Amino acid sequence: MSNQRKVNLFGCSSVHKAPRKKSGAMNGLSVEQFLDLDEVKQHVLSHPDSVTRRDGEVIISRDLALRYLHLCGNKRLKKEFRKAVGSVA
């Protein structure tokens, strides 16, 4: 009866566990890295008012915000952002 308390007696368990992506976690793309991308630079050149810097904060347009959320892979936040901005515009 002492064998009943041993976990691996009749089966096997994996010691290795693959890390799972936590919900809502960003990929670590900073705003400066995002603004340094070639596609974003071209967008800023064609739309100069899409990026504004005030007191150390970077304010970006709706299109750039959607691109940033797309690159970060946060679908839920992107969907909520579209709902919020779509109702205002």
Side-chain angles (χ1 to χ4, degrees), residues 61-79:
S61 67
R62 178 184 184 271
D63 296 332
L64 286 180
L66 287 172
R67 286 184 190 184
Y68 180 74
L69 292 174
H70 178 73
L71 288 176
C72 290
N74 199 335
K75 291 182 180 180
R76 183 177 299 158
L77 186 59
K78 184 178 174 183
K79 184 177 181 180

Side-chain angles (χ1 to χ4, degrees), residues 35-50:
L35 292 176
D36 286 338
L37 296 174
D38 292 333
E39 180 182 344
V40 175
K41 285 181 182 178
Q42 291 173 356
H43 182 79
V44 171
L45 286 175
S46 61
H47 303 91
D49 58 339
S50 62

Side-chain angles (χ1 to χ4, degrees), residues 13-33:
S13 66
S14 175
V15 176
H16 176 267
K17 291 186 179 181
R20 295 190 312 192
K21 181 180 175 185
K22 295 180 181 178
S23 61
M26 300 289 262
N27 288 341
L29 184 67
S30 70
V31 176
E32 297 302 324
Q33 291 172 341

